[in-house]
Coordinates of all heavy atoms in Angstrom, one line a residue:
M1 N 0.8 -1.2 0.0 CA 0.0 0.0 0.0 C 0.9 1.2 0.0 O 1.9 1.3 0.7 CB -0.9 0.1 1.3 CG -2.0 -0.9 1.2 SD -3.2 -0.8 2.6 CE -2.3 -1.5 3.9
P2 N 0.5 2.2 -0.7 CA 1.2 3.4 -0.8 C 1.1 4.4 0.5 O 0.2 4.2 1.2 CB 0.7 4.2 -1.9 CG -0.7 3.7 -2.0 CD -0.7 2.4 -1.6
F3 N 2.0 5.2 0.8 CA 1.9 6.1 1.9 C 1.3 7.5 1.4 O 1.7 7.9 0.3 CB 3.3 6.3 2.5 CG 3.8 5.1 3.5 CD1 4.5 4.2 2.9 CD2 3.4 5.2 4.8 CE1 4.8 3.2 3.9 CE2 3.7 4.3 5.6 CZ 4.4 3.2 5.2
Y4 N 0.6 8.1 2.2 CA 0.1 9.4 1.9 C 0.3 10.3 3.0 O 0.2 10.0 4.2 CB -1.5 9.3 1.7 CG -1.8 8.5 0.5 CD1 -2.4 7.1 0.7 CD2 -1.7 8.9 -0.8 CE1 -2.7 6.3 -0.3 CE2 -2.1 8.0 -1.8 CZ -2.7 6.8 -1.6 OH -3.0 5.9 -2.5
D5 N 0.5 11.6 2.6 CA 0.6 12.7 3.6 C -0.6 13.5 3.6 O -1.0 14.0 2.6 CB 1.9 13.6 3.3 CG 3.1 12.8 3.5 OD1 3.3 12.1 4.5 OD2 4.1 13.0 2.7
F6 N -1.2 13.7 4.8 CA -2.4 14.5 4.9 C -2.3 15.5 6.0 O -1.5 15.5 6.9 CB -3.5 13.5 5.4 CG -4.0 12.5 4.3 CD1 -3.8 11.3 4.3 CD2 -4.8 13.1 3.1 CE1 -4.2 10.4 3.3 CE2 -5.2 12.2 2.1 CZ -4.8 10.9 2.2
K7 N -3.0 16.6 5.8 CA -3.2 17.6 6.9 C -4.7 17.7 7.1 O -5.5 17.9 6.3 CB -2.6 18.9 6.4 CG -2.7 20.0 7.5 CD -2.1 21.3 7.1 CE -3.0 22.2 6.4 NZ -2.5 23.6 6.2
C8 N -5.0 17.6 8.5 CA -6.3 17.6 8.9 C -6.8 19.1 8.9 O -6.1 20.0 9.3 CB -6.5 17.2 10.4 SG -8.1 17.4 11.0
R9 N -7.9 19.4 8.2 CA -8.5 20.7 8.1 C -9.0 21.2 9.4 O -9.3 22.4 9.6 CB -9.6 20.8 7.0 CG -8.8 20.6 5.7 CD -9.8 21.0 4.5 NE -9.3 20.8 3.2 CZ -9.9 21.1 2.0 NH1 -11.1 21.5 2.1 NH2 -9.1 20.9 0.9
R10 N -9.3 20.2 10.4 CA -9.9 20.7 11.6 C -8.9 21.1 12.6 O -9.1 22.1 13.3 CB -10.9 19.5 12.1 CG -11.8 20.0 13.3 CD -12.4 18.9 14.1 NE -13.3 18.1 13.4 CZ -14.0 17.1 13.8 NH1 -13.7 16.6 15.0 NH2 -14.8 16.6 13.0
C11 N -7.8 20.3 12.8 CA -6.8 20.6 13.8 C -5.4 20.7 13.2 O -4.5 20.9 14.0 CB -6.9 19.4 14.9 SG -6.2 17.9 14.2
D12 N -5.3 20.8 12.0 CA -4.1 21.1 11.2 C -2.9 20.1 11.5 O -1.7 20.3 11.4 CB -3.5 22.6 11.7 CG -4.2 23.5 10.8 OD1 -4.8 23.3 9.9 OD2 -4.1 24.6 11.3
T13 N -3.3 18.8 12.0 CA -2.3 17.9 12.3 C -1.8 17.3 10.9 O -2.8 17.0 10.0 CB -2.9 16.6 13.0 OG1 -3.3 17.2 14.4 CG2 -1.9 15.5 13.2
V14 N -0.6 17.3 10.7 CA 0.0 16.6 9.5 C 0.5 15.3 9.9 O 1.3 15.0 10.8 CB 1.1 17.5 8.9 CG1 1.7 16.9 7.7 CG2 0.7 18.9 8.6
F15 N 0.0 14.3 9.0 CA 0.5 13.0 9.4 C 0.6 12.1 8.0 O 0.2 12.5 7.0 CB -0.5 12.3 10.3 CG -1.9 12.2 9.7 CD1 -2.4 10.9 9.1 CD2 -2.8 13.2 9.7 CE1 -3.6 10.8 8.7 CE2 -4.1 13.0 9.2 CZ -4.5 11.9 8.5
N16 N 1.4 11.1 8.2 CA 1.8 10.1 7.1 C 1.1 8.8 7.4 O 1.2 8.3 8.5 CB 3.2 10.0 7.0 CG 3.6 9.1 5.8 OD1 3.6 7.9 5.9 ND2 3.9 9.7 4.6
V17 N 0.3 8.3 6.5 CA -0.4 7.2 6.7 C -0.4 6.2 5.5 O -0.3 6.6 4.3 CB -1.9 7.4 7.1 CG1 -2.6 8.0 5.9 CG2 -2.6 6.2 7.6
Q18 N -0.3 4.9 5.9 CA -0.3 3.9 4.8 C -1.7 3.4 4.5 O -2.5 3.0 5.5 CB 0.6 2.7 5.2 CG 0.8 1.9 3.9 CD 1.7 0.6 4.4 OE1 1.8 0.2 5.6 NE2 2.4 0.0 3.5
A19 N -2.3 3.6 3.3 CA -3.7 3.3 3.1 C -3.8 2.8 1.7 O -3.0 3.1 0.8 CB -4.5 4.6 3.4
T20 N -4.9 2.2 1.4 CA -5.2 1.8 0.1 C -5.8 3.0 -0.6 O -6.3 3.9 -0.1 CB -6.2 0.6 0.1 OG1 -7.5 1.2 0.7 CG2 -5.8 -0.5 0.8
I21 N -5.8 2.9 -2.0 CA -6.4 4.0 -2.8 C -7.8 4.1 -2.5 O -8.4 5.3 -2.4 CB -6.1 3.7 -4.2 CG1 -4.6 3.7 -4.6 CG2 -6.8 4.7 -5.2 CD1 -4.2 3.3 -6.0
E22 N -8.5 3.0 -2.3 CA -10.0 3.1 -2.0 C -10.2 3.9 -0.7 O -11.1 4.8 -0.7 CB -10.5 1.7 -1.8 CG -12.0 1.7 -1.6 CD -12.6 0.3 -1.5 OE1 -11.8 -0.6 -1.5 OE2 -13.8 0.1 -1.3
E23 N -9.4 3.6 0.3 CA -9.5 4.3 1.6 C -9.3 5.9 1.4 O -10.0 6.7 1.9 CB -8.5 3.7 2.6 CG -8.9 2.4 3.2 CD -7.9 1.8 4.1 OE1 -6.6 2.0 3.9 OE2 -8.3 1.2 5.1
K24 N -8.3 6.1 0.6 CA -8.0 7.6 0.3 C -9.2 8.1 -0.4 O -9.7 9.2 -0.1 CB -6.8 7.6 -0.4 CG -6.4 9.0 -0.8 CD -5.1 9.2 -1.6 CE -5.3 8.8 -3.1 NZ -6.1 9.8 -3.8
E25 N -9.6 7.5 -1.5 CA -10.6 8.1 -2.4 C -11.9 8.3 -1.6 O -12.8 9.2 -1.8 CB -10.9 7.2 -3.5 CG -9.7 7.1 -4.6 CD -9.4 8.4 -5.3 OE1 -10.3 9.2 -5.5 OE2 -8.2 8.7 -5.5
K26 N -12.3 7.4 -0.7 CA -13.5 7.4 0.0 C -13.5 8.1 1.4 O -14.5 8.1 2.2 CB -14.2 6.0 0.2 CG -14.4 5.3 -1.1 CD -15.0 4.0 -0.9 CE -15.6 3.3 -2.3 NZ -16.0 2.0 -2.2
N27 N -12.3 8.7 1.6 CA -12.1 9.5 2.9 C -12.4 8.6 4.1 O -13.1 9.0 5.0 CB -13.1 10.8 2.9 CG -12.7 11.8 1.8 OD1 -11.5 11.9 1.4 ND2 -13.6 12.5 1.3
L28 N -11.8 7.5 4.1 CA -12.0 6.5 5.2 C -10.9 6.6 6.2 O -10.8 5.9 7.2 CB -12.1 5.1 4.7 CG -13.3 4.8 3.7 CD1 -13.2 3.4 3.2 CD2 -14.6 5.1 4.5
I29 N -10.0 7.6 6.0 CA -8.8 7.7 6.9 C -9.1 8.8 7.9 O -9.3 10.0 7.6 CB -7.6 8.1 6.0 CG1 -7.4 7.2 4.9 CG2 -6.4 8.3 6.9 CD1 -6.5 7.5 3.8
P30 N -9.1 8.4 9.2 CA -9.3 9.4 10.2 C -8.1 10.1 10.7 O -7.0 9.5 10.6 CB -9.9 8.6 11.3 CG -9.2 7.2 11.3 CD -9.0 7.1 9.7
C31 N -8.2 11.4 11.1 CA -7.1 12.1 11.6 C -6.7 11.5 13.0 O -7.5 11.2 13.8 CB -7.6 13.6 11.8 SG -6.5 14.5 12.9
P32 N -5.4 11.2 13.1 CA -5.0 10.6 14.5 C -5.1 11.7 15.6 O -5.1 11.3 16.8 CB -3.4 10.4 14.2 CG -3.1 11.2 13.1 CD -4.3 11.6 12.3
G33 N -5.3 13.1 15.3 CA -5.4 14.0 16.3 C -6.8 14.1 16.9 O -6.9 14.2 18.0
C34 N -7.7 14.3 16.0 CA -9.1 14.6 16.3 C -10.1 13.6 15.9 O -11.2 13.5 16.2 CB -9.4 16.1 16.0 SG -9.6 16.2 14.1
G35 N -9.6 12.7 14.9 CA -10.5 11.7 14.4 C -11.5 12.2 13.2 O -12.2 11.5 12.6
G36 N -11.2 13.5 12.8 CA -11.9 14.1 11.7 C -11.5 13.4 10.3 O -10.4 12.9 10.3
R37 N -12.3 13.4 9.3 CA -12.0 12.9 8.1 C -12.0 13.9 7.0 O -12.0 13.6 5.8 CB -12.9 11.8 7.8 CG -12.8 10.6 8.8 CD -13.6 9.4 8.4 NE -13.5 8.4 9.4 CZ -14.1 7.3 9.4 NH1 -15.0 7.0 8.3 NH2 -13.9 6.2 10.3
V38 N -12.0 15.2 7.4 CA -11.8 16.2 6.4 C -10.4 16.5 6.2 O -9.7 17.3 7.0 CB -12.6 17.4 6.7 CG1 -12.5 18.5 5.5 CG2 -14.0 17.1 6.9
L39 N -9.7 15.8 5.4 CA -8.2 15.9 5.2 C -7.8 16.6 3.9 O -8.5 16.4 2.9 CB -7.5 14.5 5.2 CG -7.9 13.6 6.4 CD1 -7.5 12.2 6.3 CD2 -7.5 14.4 7.7
E40 N -6.6 17.2 3.9 CA -6.1 17.8 2.8 C -4.9 17.1 2.4 O -4.0 16.8 3.3 CB -5.8 19.2 3.1 CG -5.3 20.1 2.0 CD -5.0 21.5 2.3 OE1 -5.7 22.0 3.4 OE2 -4.3 22.2 1.6
R41 N -4.7 16.7 1.2 CA -3.6 16.0 0.8 C -2.3 17.1 0.8 O -2.4 18.1 0.2 CB -3.8 15.4 -0.6 CG -2.6 14.6 -1.1 CD -2.7 13.2 -0.7 NE -1.5 12.4 -1.1 CZ -1.4 11.8 -2.3 NH1 -2.4 11.8 -3.1 NH2 -0.2 11.2 -2.5
V42 N -1.2 16.5 1.4 CA 0.0 17.4 1.3 C 1.0 16.5 0.6 O 1.1 15.3 0.7 CB 0.5 17.9 2.7 CG1 -0.6 18.9 3.2 CG2 0.6 16.8 3.7
Y43 N 1.9 17.3 -0.1 CA 3.1 16.6 -0.8 C 4.3 17.1 -0.2 O 5.0 17.9 -0.9 CB 3.0 16.8 -2.3 CG 1.6 16.4 -2.9 CD1 0.5 17.2 -2.9 CD2 1.5 15.1 -3.4 CE1 -0.7 16.9 -3.5 CE2 0.3 14.8 -3.9 CZ -0.8 15.6 -3.9 OH -1.9 15.1 -4.4
T44 N 4.7 16.5 0.9 CA 5.9 17.0 1.6 C 7.2 16.8 0.7 O 7.9 17.7 0.6 CB 6.0 16.1 2.9 OG1 4.9 16.1 3.5 CG2 7.2 16.7 3.7
K45 N 7.4 15.6 0.2 CA 8.6 15.4 -0.5 C 8.6 16.0 -1.9 O 9.5 16.6 -2.5 CB 8.8 13.9 -0.8 CG 9.1 13.2 0.6 CD 9.2 11.7 0.4 CE 9.4 11.0 1.8 NZ 9.3 9.6 1.6
A46 N 7.3 16.0 -2.6 CA 7.2 16.5 -3.9 C 7.4 18.1 -3.9 O 8.0 18.6 -4.9 CB 5.7 16.2 -4.5
N47 N 7.0 18.7 -2.8 CA 7.1 20.2 -2.7 C 8.5 20.6 -2.9 O 8.8 21.6 -3.6 CB 6.4 20.7 -1.5 CG 5.0 20.8 -1.5 OD1 4.4 20.8 -2.5 ND2 4.4 20.8 -0.4
I48 N 9.4 19.8 -2.4 CA 10.8 20.2 -2.3 C 11.3 20.2 -3.8 O 12.0 21.2 -4.3 CB 11.7 19.2 -1.6 CG1 11.2 19.4 0.0 CG2 13.1 19.6 -1.7 CD1 11.8 18.3 0.8
S49 N 11.0 19.2 -4.6 CA 11.5 19.1 -5.9 C 10.8 20.1 -6.8 O 11.4 20.7 -7.7 CB 11.2 17.7 -6.5 OG 9.9 17.4 -6.5
L50 N 9.5 20.4 -6.5 CA 8.8 21.5 -7.3 C 9.5 22.8 -7.1 O 9.6 23.6 -8.0 CB 7.4 21.5 -6.9 CG 6.4 20.4 -7.5 CD1 5.1 20.5 -6.9 CD2 6.4 20.6 -9.0
V51 N 9.8 23.1 -5.8 CA 10.4 24.4 -5.6 C 11.7 24.5 -6.4 O 11.9 25.5 -7.1 CB 10.6 24.6 -4.1 CG1 11.4 25.8 -3.8 CG2 9.3 24.7 -3.5
S52 N 12.6 23.6 -6.2 CA 13.9 23.5 -6.9 C 13.7 23.6 -8.5 O 14.4 24.3 -9.2 CB 14.7 22.4 -6.6 OG 14.1 21.2 -6.8
R53 N 12.7 22.9 -9.0 CA 12.5 22.9 -10.4 C 12.0 24.2 -10.9 O 12.3 24.8 -11.9 CB 11.5 21.7 -10.8 CG 11.2 21.7 -12.3 CD 10.2 20.6 -12.5 NE 9.9 20.5 -13.9 CZ 10.5 19.8 -14.8 NH1 11.6 19.1 -14.4 NH2 10.2 19.8 -16.1
K54 N 11.1 24.9 -10.1 CA 10.6 26.2 -10.4 C 11.7 27.1 -10.4 O 11.8 28.1 -11.3 CB 9.5 26.5 -9.5 CG 8.8 27.8 -9.8 CD 7.6 28.1 -8.9 CE 6.9 29.4 -9.3 NZ 6.0 29.7 -8.2
A55 N 12.5 27.1 -9.5 CA 13.7 28.0 -9.5 C 14.5 27.8 -10.7 O 15.1 28.8 -11.3 CB 14.5 27.8 -8.2
Y56 N 14.7 26.6 -11.2 CA 15.5 26.4 -12.3 C 14.8 26.8 -13.6 O 15.4 27.4 -14.4 CB 15.8 24.9 -12.4 CG 16.3 24.4 -13.8 CD1 17.7 24.6 -14.1 CD2 15.5 23.8 -14.8 CE1 18.2 24.3 -15.3 CE2 15.9 23.5 -15.9 CZ 17.3 23.7 -16.2 OH 17.8 23.3 -17.5
M57 N 13.4 26.7 -13.7 CA 12.7 27.1 -14.9 C 12.7 28.6 -15.0 O 12.6 29.1 -16.1 CB 11.3 26.6 -14.7 CG 11.2 25.0 -14.9 SD 11.7 24.4 -16.4 CE 10.3 24.8 -17.5
T58 N 12.7 29.3 -13.8 CA 12.6 30.7 -13.9 C 14.1 31.4 -14.2 O 14.1 32.7 -14.1 CB 11.9 31.4 -12.7 OG1 12.6 30.9 -11.5 CG2 10.5 30.9 -12.6
E59 N 15.0 30.7 -14.2 CA 16.3 31.2 -14.2 C 16.6 31.9 -15.5 O 17.1 33.0 -15.5 CB 17.3 29.9 -14.1 CG 18.7 30.4 -14.1 CD 19.1 31.0 -12.7 OE1 18.3 30.8 -11.8 OE2 20.0 31.9 -12.6
P60 N 16.2 31.5 -16.7 CA 16.5 32.2 -17.9 C 15.7 33.4 -18.0 O 14.6 33.5 -17.5 CB 16.0 31.3 -19.1 CG 15.9 29.9 -18.5 CD 15.6 30.1 -17.0
S61 N 16.2 34.5 -18.6 CA 15.5 35.8 -18.6 C 14.3 35.7 -19.6 O 14.5 34.8 -20.5 CB 16.4 36.9 -19.1 OG 16.8 36.7 -20.5
P62 N 13.3 36.5 -19.7 CA 12.2 36.5 -20.4 C 12.6 36.8 -21.9 O 12.0 36.3 -22.8 CB 11.4 37.7 -20.0 CG 11.6 37.8 -18.6 CD 13.1 37.5 -18.5
A63 N 13.8 37.3 -22.2 CA 14.2 37.6 -23.5 C 15.2 36.5 -23.9 O 15.8 36.7 -25.0 CB 15.1 39.0 -23.5
C64 N 15.2 35.5 -23.3 CA 16.0 34.4 -23.7 C 15.8 33.9 -25.1 O 14.6 33.7 -25.6 CB 15.8 33.2 -22.7 SG 16.7 31.8 -23.4
K65 N 16.8 33.8 -26.0 CA 16.7 33.3 -27.4 C 17.7 32.2 -27.5 O 18.1 31.9 -28.7 CB 16.9 34.4 -28.3 CG 16.0 35.6 -28.3 CD 16.5 36.6 -29.2 CE 15.4 37.7 -29.3 NZ 15.4 38.6 -28.1
C66 N 17.9 31.4 -26.5 CA 18.8 30.3 -26.6 C 18.2 29.2 -27.4 O 19.0 28.5 -28.1 CB 19.1 29.8 -25.2 SG 17.8 28.8 -24.4
C67 N 16.9 28.9 -27.6 CA 16.3 27.9 -28.4 C 16.8 26.5 -28.0 O 16.8 25.7 -28.9 CB 16.7 28.2 -29.9 SG 15.8 29.7 -30.5
K68 N 17.2 26.4 -26.8 CA 17.4 25.0 -26.3 C 16.1 24.3 -26.1 O 15.0 24.9 -25.8 CB 18.3 25.0 -25.0 CG 19.7 25.5 -25.2 CD 20.5 25.6 -24.0 CE 21.9 25.9 -24.2 NZ 22.6 26.1 -22.9
R69 N 16.1 23.0 -26.2 CA 14.9 22.2 -26.3 C 14.2 22.4 -24.9 O 13.0 22.3 -24.9 CB 15.4 20.8 -26.6 CG 14.0 19.9 -26.9 CD 14.5 18.6 -27.2 NE 15.1 17.8 -26.1 CZ 15.5 16.5 -26.1 NH1 15.6 15.9 -27.3 NH2 16.1 16.0 -25.1
D70 N 14.9 22.4 -23.8 CA 14.3 22.5 -22.5 C 14.0 23.9 -22.1 O 13.3 24.1 -21.0 CB 15.2 21.8 -21.5 CG 15.3 20.4 -21.7 OD1 14.4 19.8 -22.4 OD2 16.4 19.8 -21.3
C71 N 14.3 24.8 -22.9 CA 14.1 26.3 -22.5 C 12.6 26.5 -22.6 O 11.9 26.2 -23.6 CB 14.8 27.3 -23.5 SG 14.4 28.9 -23.2
P72 N 12.0 27.1 -21.6 CA 10.5 27.4 -21.6 C 10.2 28.5 -22.6 O 9.0 28.6 -22.9 CB 10.2 28.0 -20.2 CG 11.6 28.4 -19.6 CD 12.6 27.6 -20.3
N73 N 11.1 29.2 -23.1 CA 10.9 30.2 -24.1 C 11.1 29.7 -25.5 O 10.9 30.4 -26.5 CB 11.7 31.5 -23.9 CG 11.5 32.0 -22.6 OD1 10.5 32.4 -22.2 ND2 12.6 32.2 -21.8
A74 N 11.3 28.4 -25.6 CA 11.7 27.9 -27.0 C 10.5 27.2 -27.7 O 10.6 26.5 -28.7 CB 12.8 26.8 -26.9
Q75 N 9.2 27.3 -27.0 CA 8.0 26.6 -27.5 C 7.7 27.3 -28.8 O 7.7 28.5 -29.1 CB 7.0 26.7 -26.5 CG 7.3 25.9 -25.3 CD 6.3 26.2 -24.2 OE1 5.2 26.8 -24.4 NE2 6.4 25.4 -23.1
G76 N 7.4 26.5 -29.8 CA 6.8 27.0 -31.1 C 8.1 27.3 -31.9 O 8.0 27.9 -33.1
Ligands
ZN101 ZN1 -7.7 16.5 13.2

């Protein structure tokens, strides 16, 4: 079973839980802090890579004419 990171919207407890996809989809996972099931999915590990990737993507200036394949300004 995969692990998921959740944040409880009632008490803001962030926790990691191993659950089936069905349990996740049907909100069957209770908050360990208050027992509530209104949870917000958080991406603890993914956020780190997204931040670093975004920093990399915004590195070239808007006037970039490098035309490299990975350049965000090279589309079209
Ligand atoms: Zn809670």
Side-chain angles (χ1 to χ4, degrees):
M1 288 188 287
F3 281 92
Y4 299 101
D5 290 315
F6 289 107
K7 186 175 87 172
C8 177
R9 290 190 179 179
R10 192 194 289 178
C11 69
D12 282 346
T13 297
V14 176
F15 61 99
N16 183 275
V17 64
Q18 189 177 25
T20 65
I21 293 172
E22 183 181 5
E23 285 176 322
K24 180 181 76 71
E25 294 292 328
K26 294 184 178 178
N27 295 330
L28 299 176
I29 304 163
C31 166
C34 69
R37 293 184 182 179
V38 184
L39 306 176
E40 182 178 341
R41 183 87 186 275
V42 293
Y43 300 89
T44 310
K45 293 174 184 174
N47 279 343
I48 296 170
S49 62
L50 277 175
V51 168
S52 61
R53 183 179 176 88
K54 186 178 180 182
Y56 168 77
M57 292 295 283
T58 55
E59 187 71 23
S61 74
C64 170
K65 294 184 175 69
C66 69
C67 294
K68 288 180 181 175
R69 196 176 63 187
D70 293 336
C71 177
N73 298 311
Q75 294 175 0

